[in-house]
């Protein structure tokens, strides 16, 4: 059986807003080699980027190969890493990184499927994608997004205590009505010398989840609240609907799909109530609930 080497040279989108060093080092000097159970025979060739009259050698983990050209055969776990090209005096003049991607079984069943979730708080084209922070702190992530091949600006991933978060800005879509193709969001994951790719695809209108309404007031059976201040400013173009849950001692009632920001109850008195909001014209997510004091 003859195996065809599968060598993927990654072309990552370089984010003009965030600086390019992280992305550049992957793009310029890194190859991802697809291996099957770490035993596939693959061949990768490098050439040290230095004039032909210099004598050089390549080194990985102390193993040395003389000459400008390096041919790595039989890619297995030990062959991934940072290959450095040295002058005979030891100075490093070039390097190439090989990452391995196991295409037969996931590197680790638990971590193989990143559960990427994406949310937009309004119609501005800004959205966040996030996933659970890795158990191993050394895992690195690079994210990119595009719509039908046109790149969308995304910031470098940042981590809070529980998640890795990437915020992106789609400049093309002013209103969801014009959205006619999916956004593809891809995460490149590097763990030691292993590479994995994860992606998800969505329309902004499907991931819209408003912040909860605000400034809830209740007086004499009249309930009032306001749009969340992160929702689109033009409320008449981008209206929300609300669900309201009213409760008092031993009694409660529920009102669905209310189109205004007030509700008159048939009872008088002081009530506590909770409200959630959703895009009026599209069946996207309801906001979290918020309650009056
Ligand atoms: C890879 O390894 C898994 C588990 O050991 C095995 O089930 C699978 O058949 C292997 N795949 C190939 C193509 O060898
Ligand atoms: C090789 O080195 C030259 C000069 O330093 C540089 O301009 C060029 O981009 C390098 N090429 C690669 C593939 O690294
Ligand atoms: C590989 O080694 C070179 C030279 O030491 C270094 O500049 C580069 O950052 C290393 N890259 C990685 C991914 O470790
Ligand atoms: C971390 O970010 C995620 C996604 O935005 C969010 O759901 C979570 O509440 C954040 N956690 C903290 C501690 O800020
Ligand atoms: C839209 O939501 C983003 C957060 O995703 C927020 O930063 C921005 O201010 C919001 N836009 C408006 C008009 O409030
Ligand atoms: C709206 O979305 C919810 C949750 O995804 C679903 O259960 C419901 O059937 C949808 N309603 C319509 C009218 O599409």
């Amino acid at each position: 059986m003859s195996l065809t080497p599968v060598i993927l040279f990654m072309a990552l989108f370089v984010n003009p807003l965030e600086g390019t060093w992280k992305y550049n080092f992957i793009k310029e000097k890194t190859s991802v080699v697809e291996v099957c159970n770490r035993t596939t025979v693959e061949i990768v060739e490098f050439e040290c980027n230095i004039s032909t009259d210099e004598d050089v050698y390549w080194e990985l983990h102390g193993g040395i190969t003389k000459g400008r050209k390096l041919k790595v055969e039989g890619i297995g776990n030990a062959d991934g890493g940072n290959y450095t090209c040295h002058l005979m005096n030891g100075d490093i003049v070039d390097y190439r990184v090989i990452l391995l991607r196991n295409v037969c079984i996931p590197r680790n069943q638990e971590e193989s499927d990143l559960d990427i979730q994406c949310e937009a708080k309004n119609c501005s084209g800004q959205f966040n994608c996030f996933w659970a922070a890795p158990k191993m702190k050394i895992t690195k992530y690079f994210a990119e997004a595009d719509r039908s091949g046109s790149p969308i600006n995304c910031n470098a991933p940042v981590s809070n205590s529980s998640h890795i978060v990437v915020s992106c800005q789609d400049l093309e879509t002013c209103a969801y009505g014009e959205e006619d193709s999916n956004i593809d969001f891809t995460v490149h994951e590097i763990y030691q010398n292993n590479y994995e790719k994860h992606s998800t695809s969505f329309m902004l209108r499907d991931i819209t989840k408003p912040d909860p309404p605000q400034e809830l007031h209740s007086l004499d059976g009249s309930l009032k609240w306001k749009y969340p201040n992160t929702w689109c400013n033009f409320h008449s173009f981008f209206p929300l609907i609300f669900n309201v849950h009213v409760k008092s001692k031993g009694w409660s009632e529920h009102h669905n799909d209310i189109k205004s920001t007030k509700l008159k109850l048939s009872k008088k008195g002081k009530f506590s109530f909770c409200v959630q909001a959703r895009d009026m014209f599209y069946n996207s997510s309801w906001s979290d609930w918020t309650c009056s004091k």
Side-chain angles (χ1 to χ4, degrees):
M1 186 176 71
S2 80
L3 291 166
T4 316
V6 186
I7 302 174
L8 254 165
F9 288 95
M10 294 170 61
L12 283 181
F13 167 56
V14 176
N15 186 333
L17 297 176
E18 276 299 305
T20 58
W21 63 274
K22 284 178 184 167
Y23 298 89
N24 262 344
F25 93 83
I26 291 189
K27 186 183 173 188
E28 300 293 334
K29 305 273 188 183
T30 301
S31 318
V32 175
V33 178
E34 299 194 328
V35 296
C36 183
N37 289 354
R38 308 195 189 289
T39 57
T40 318
V41 177
E42 303 284 356
I43 299 169
V44 184
E45 278 185 301
F46 300 142
E47 197 164 327
C48 189
N49 187 14
I50 191 143
S51 68
T52 43
D53 45 328
E54 297 272 11
D55 278 338
V56 293
Y57 64 90
W58 283 96
E59 183 175 345
L60 177 74
H61 309 315
I64 283 174
T65 312
K66 286 197 170 164
R68 293 176 69 228
K69 288 191 181 171
L70 177 69
K71 197 169 174 182
V72 183
E73 285 184 62
I75 294 276
N77 207 14
D79 300 315
N82 193 347
Y83 290 76
T84 44
C85 175
H86 302 251
L87 297 177
M88 297 322 269
N89 69 6
D91 287 354
I92 297 178
V93 288
D94 202 2
Y95 70 90
R96 293 290 186 281
V97 177
I98 289 188
L99 301 176
L100 307 177
R101 180 184 192 192
N102 191 329
V103 291
C104 289
I105 49 163
R107 158 170 56 80
N108 170 336
Q109 291 288 1
E110 283 163 44
E111 286 189 37
S112 67
D113 279 321
L114 218 55
D115 180 18
I116 305 171
Q117 294 179 59
C118 299
E119 281 178 9
K121 286 183 194 299
N122 55 41
C123 47
S124 67
Q126 270 193 47
F127 61 93
N128 279 350
C129 292
F130 53 92
W131 57 93
K135 289 186 210 85
M136 302 295 185
K137 290 269 186 285
I138 53 176
T139 305
K140 289 187 205 136
Y141 296 103
F142 304 90
E144 56 179 343
D146 73 87
R147 193 197 289 278
S148 308
S150 313
I152 288 173
N153 285 340
C154 292
N155 290 333
V158 293
S159 58
N160 66 22
S161 52
S162 60
H163 289 81
I164 310 286
V165 185
V166 175
S167 55
C168 302
Q169 173 74 59
D170 177 27
L171 299 170
E172 307 268 303
T173 314
C174 317
Y176 298 156
E178 296 164 21
E179 199 175 15
D180 56 8
S181 59
N182 275 345
I183 289 180
D184 295 311
F185 182 84
T186 304
V187 177
H188 305 273
E189 178 186 26
I190 294 171
Y191 171 74
Q192 290 173 335
N193 298 322
N194 300 295
Y195 169 87
E196 199 48 68
K197 183 172 166 176
H198 310 271
S199 33
T200 184
S201 186
F202 51 83
M203 295 269 195
L204 278 181
R205 58 173 176 254
D206 289 317
I207 62 161
T208 302
K209 181 182 176 186
D211 274 334
Q214 55 188 30
E215 295 183 42
L216 278 58
H217 291 291
S218 155
L219 187 68
D220 277 347
S222 288
L223 312 180
K224 285 194 302 184
W225 57 90
K226 286 193 170 158
Y227 273 52
N229 64 5
T230 52
W231 188 247
C232 327
N233 288 328
F234 304 104
H235 295 171
S236 50
F237 284 119
F238 302 105
L240 293 171
I241 51 169
F242 305 92
N243 286 337
V244 182
H245 189 77
V246 193
K247 54 186 186 290
S248 189
K249 262 200 195 116
W251 165 89
S252 71
E253 64 185 30
H254 200 79
H255 300 262
N256 279 335
D257 299 343
I258 296 178
K259 293 198 166 69
S260 70
T261 55
K262 55 185 186 236
L263 178 66
K264 186 93 183 133
L265 300 176
S266 52
K267 296 186 164 71
K268 296 248 183 231
K270 184 136 176 70
F271 302 100
S272 63
F273 69 105
C274 302
V275 199
Q276 64 173 178
R278 202 202 70 193
D279 189 317
M280 186 185 290
F281 298 131
Y282 196 78
N283 190 17
S284 49
S285 291
W286 284 95
S287 74
D288 292 333
W289 288 94
T290 181
C291 298
S292 65
K293 304 239 162 54

